[in-house]
Amino acid sequence: MDIFFPESKRVAELFDEHMVDEPKWYCKKIVKIGSLKNFPEIKYQAVVWSLGL
């Protein structure tokens, strides 16, 4: 369950619908999972949200 807004449509579609207000509607979730290059036994998980308000 996410506590943020759902991800938005493609940027081009947002521009078509909202024109100059497109940044207000943008929401993107980026998830990275992996391990450190020099220490493969150390694993990480990162979640970054980009919101335009």
Side-chain angles (χ1 to χ4, degrees):
M1 181 174 132
D2 291 326
I3 58 172
F4 290 100
F5 300 105
E7 286 192 67
S8 60
K9 301 175 185 176
R10 293 181 29 234
V11 173
E13 292 176 26
L14 288 175
F15 272 116
D16 289 343
E17 289 180 26
H18 303 289
M19 298 299 287
V20 296
D21 287 334
E22 178 272 334
K24 293 180 184 176
W25 294 92
Y26 184 77
C27 181
K28 178 71 176 168
K29 177 182 178 182
I30 302 167
V31 178
K32 297 289 181 182
I33 300 171
S35 60
L36 299 179
K37 181 179 178 181
N38 293 330
F39 301 97
E41 67 277 6
I42 299 175
K43 300 185 182 330
Y44 63 85
Q45 296 178 340
V47 179
V48 178
W49 284 92
S50 175
L51 299 171
L53 299 173

